[in-house]
Amino acid sequence: MIKYTPKNRVLWGNILLSIAVSLLVNFSYLLVLFESHNSDKDRPEWLEEYEARKVVIDTEGTLHIMPDGYGFLVMDEGSVVDSVYVNSGRVWRFGLKEGDRMRVTALTPEIEGAHHSLFTIETLNGENHDYAARFDKPDTSSQTVLQIICYALLMFVVLTIVTRSSRKSSIFKRYFLPYLLSLLIVAAFFFAAPVLGIKGDVPRNSLDIVLMLKCMFVYVVAVLYARIYDLVYQRQRIEIKNAQLKNENLTTRYSALVSQISPHFLFNSLNSLSMLVREKLNEKALTYIDRLSHVFRYVIQNGQNTLSTVADELQFIDSYRYLLEVRYADKLFFEIDIDPAYMERQMPSLALQPLIENAVKHNAITRSKPLTISIFTKDGKIVVSNPIIPKIEAELSTGIGLKNLSTRWQMITEHDIEVIRTDDSFEVHLPLLPETK
């Protein structure tokens, strides 16, 4: 038994919609079936009128079809009427041909002097002609049920095809291919559908308009449903993505605040400041305080933002760099070369600081082996690069910081960062957002 779960809600939706559409296209059949079983209803007035005008003709006649499609049944000698008018719809529906021999029941003309008109065909070319059986309507309850099942299965197959395409596939595989395959299935159903169209010994006309309309209705409903389903899926995906981005942003803000306001960072900053004061480097001490306050203020303010301009990030890095350069005097250097054309481009906030922090954390920094961190632009990307100078006692790297940066960058820009590590160097390429016009 299939249970309803979030995973198979699409399956249940397809099943329910298939049943609903099948009942809709077979609604007239259900009405006919209901009327045929309702013996208490009075006969309709039009049928009473036709019964009053009906004339049974015992003799046969020969059919002559006019160029415009209608025909006249010229009766043999001894007939109560000379000829009977056959409209083009009857000629087309029953597949009548020039010269067919027929015995019919006719209706007397409503206007004096007009021809009798065809009512029912009793025999056609010497064989009994079941008039009712040749129309596209149910004769029994089982036949109606079979038609409902056929349309329900057709709708379900088409819905399954148009709603199962992968959201990550190309436009051709996502739209054109499923819709084309569905159209072919509907066309095959049109020519092979059981108990539909004209029945009996007369072959069904391949251009049965009623059947064609039903098949096209099934196809159009399936395509529209697939489009609505796709739009709903994309909306849900955006909502989930926004929720993940919000959570990731909160996590990043927390991590950045912890990183910058941790006692270790604060103590190192105060020690550097104390050193400047002891050496009576008052101007440097004041500059250090300004840069330190700018770092804390930027982290607190921009931790609430998703995006910042490259210019804002560089101003923050300039202050952060100053603090590190004072701490690692003449041992840590920065080479920053950013093309001015990229200054107004946007990037995720607080993205460069974790890369600089990792470079300082995982490399030896001494006077004999100074560390140089390069930040430059290349092909629409910001590149952060540093040589690898192994420490004697390497610190354990969890890789969480780089992984969080990669996840956040992909969610915000829909592009992945590129990490290039060799034996001698470590580079991270950060693709910038396109320039807004």
Side-chain angles (χ1 to χ4, degrees), residues 243-406:
Q244 291 176 342
L245 183 59
K246 183 178 180 181
N247 182 66
E248 186 71 22
N249 188 37
L250 291 174
T251 303
T252 303
R253 287 171 54 194
Y254 174 78
S255 300
L257 288 171
V258 170
S259 173
Q260 298 299 333
I261 308 178
S262 64
H264 180 71
F265 174 81
L266 183 59
F267 291 155
N268 287 334
S269 299
L270 292 177
N271 286 336
S272 299
L273 180 61
S274 176
M275 178 196 67
L276 294 175
V277 172
R278 281 197 305 269
E279 295 180 2
K280 297 182 180 181
L281 300 174
N282 295 335
E283 291 297 328
K284 276 193 173 183
L286 290 174
T287 303
Y288 190 92
I289 293 173
D290 289 339
R291 299 297 179 92
L292 181 61
S293 64
H294 179 255
V295 167
F296 276 80
R297 184 167 56 251
Y298 187 87
V299 169
I300 294 173
Q301 292 178 351
N302 285 61
Q304 300 175 1
N305 300 328
T306 302
L307 295 170
S308 297
T309 63
V310 172
D312 290 339
E313 279 289 297
L314 289 179
Q315 288 180 2
F316 165 68
I317 292 302
D318 186 61
S319 297
Y320 184 70
R321 176 191 69 174
Y322 183 83
L323 302 181
L324 293 176
E325 286 177 340
V326 170
R327 178 181 170 188
Y328 297 96
D330 299 325
K331 293 177 288 186
L332 178 64
F333 302 94
F334 287 84
E335 294 180 352
I336 300 178
D337 183 16
I338 302 297
D339 189 335
Y342 291 94
M343 287 298 183
E344 297 304 316
R345 298 276 286 272
Q346 290 188 318
M347 60 184 294
S349 301
L350 300 172
L352 298 177
Q353 182 270 336
L355 298 177
I356 297 174
E357 183 182 16
N358 281 346
V360 172
K361 179 179 178 181
H362 297 292
N363 289 280
I365 304 177
T366 64
R367 290 188 182 277
S368 61
K369 294 182 179 180
L371 178 67
T372 301
I373 300 175
S374 301
I375 303 175
F376 56 92
T377 51
K378 180 181 179 181
D379 299 330
K381 301 177 182 178
I382 288 185
V383 181
V384 180
S385 173
N386 63 270
I388 296 178
I389 308 175
K391 289 185 174 181
I392 297 176
E393 294 183 2
E395 296 190 30
L396 179 64
S397 175
T398 61
I400 294 177
L402 192 60
K403 182 178 179 182
N404 287 343
L405 176 63
S406 176

Side-chain angles (χ1 to χ4, degrees), residues 30-299:
L30 295 174
L31 287 180
V32 171
L33 188 65
F34 176 77
E35 289 292 337
S36 65
H37 288 284
N38 192 350
S39 57
D40 296 331
K41 293 288 184 180
D42 295 332
R43 302 180 73 184
E45 294 182 0
W46 63 266
L47 187 57
E48 295 286 351
E49 179 184 351
Y50 277 17
E51 289 291 339
R53 294 171 52 201
K54 185 171 66 173
V55 176
V56 178
I57 304 175
D58 293 332
T59 58
E60 288 188 339
T62 302
L63 179 63
H64 297 281
I65 300 177
M66 302 293 107
D68 291 338
Y70 64 90
F72 287 97
L73 186 64
V74 180
M75 308 309 300
D76 296 343
E77 294 183 5
S79 174
V80 295
V81 297
D82 295 331
S83 62
V84 175
Y85 171 74
V86 182
N87 63 43
S88 57
R90 298 290 181 88
V91 173
W92 172 81
R93 189 162 184 82
F94 296 124
L96 301 178
K97 306 180 193 61
E98 175 74 20
D100 281 344
R101 296 283 294 170
M102 301 161 52
R103 184 170 60 84
V104 300
T105 299
L107 295 177
T108 57
E110 295 180 312
I111 301 175
E112 185 177 356
H115 291 277
H116 285 67
S117 59
L118 177 67
F119 184 54
T120 60
I121 302 174
E122 303 299 324
T123 63
L124 177 62
N125 296 324
E127 297 181 0
N128 291 331
H129 186 271
D130 188 354
Y131 179 84
R134 297 172 188 272
F135 283 94
D136 185 13
K137 68 182 183 66
D139 297 326
T140 63
S141 300
S142 59
Q143 191 178 91
T144 303
V145 171
L146 180 59
Q147 293 193 60
I148 292 175
I149 293 175
C150 287
Y151 278 104
L153 288 176
L154 172 66
M155 187 67 182
F156 180 77
V157 171
V158 174
L159 285 176
T160 301
I161 293 174
V162 297
T163 57
R164 281 296 180 89
S165 58
S166 174
R167 296 301 178 275
K168 296 182 179 181
S169 57
S170 63
I171 295 179
F172 176 80
K173 292 182 179 179
R174 188 174 172 182
Y175 296 109
F176 182 77
L177 191 60
Y179 292 169
L180 178 60
L181 180 59
S182 301
L183 185 60
L184 293 176
I185 291 176
V186 171
F189 178 86
F190 173 76
F191 290 105
V195 297
L196 297 172
I198 300 176
K199 301 177 287 292
D201 297 329
V202 178
R204 185 180 69 199
N205 193 308
S206 59
L207 296 178
D208 192 327
I209 301 300
V210 175
L211 180 57
M212 182 183 296
L213 290 175
K214 290 179 180 179
C215 291
M216 291 307 300
F217 178 79
V218 169
Y219 178 74
V220 170
V221 170
V223 170
L224 291 178
Y225 175 80
R227 184 56 182 160
I228 294 173
Y229 169 78
D230 189 61
L231 293 175
V232 172
Y233 175 85
Q234 292 184 13
R235 180 179 178 182
Q236 291 178 345
R237 183 171 175 267
I238 292 174
E239 291 177 352
I240 294 173
K241 183 177 180 180
N242 289 338
Q244 291 176 342
L245 183 59
K246 183 178 180 181
N247 182 66
E248 186 71 22
N249 188 37
L250 291 174
T251 303
T252 303
R253 287 171 54 194
Y254 174 78
S255 300
L257 288 171
V258 170
S259 173
Q260 298 299 333
I261 308 178
S262 64
H264 180 71
F265 174 81
L266 183 59
F267 291 155
N268 287 334
S269 299
L270 292 177
N271 286 336
S272 299
L273 180 61
S274 176
M275 178 196 67
L276 294 175
V277 172
R278 281 197 305 269
E279 295 180 2
K280 297 182 180 181
L281 300 174
N282 295 335
E283 291 297 328
K284 276 193 173 183
L286 290 174
T287 303
Y288 190 92
I289 293 173
D290 289 339
R291 299 297 179 92
L292 181 61
S293 64
H294 179 255
V295 167
F296 276 80
R297 184 167 56 251
Y298 187 87
V299 169

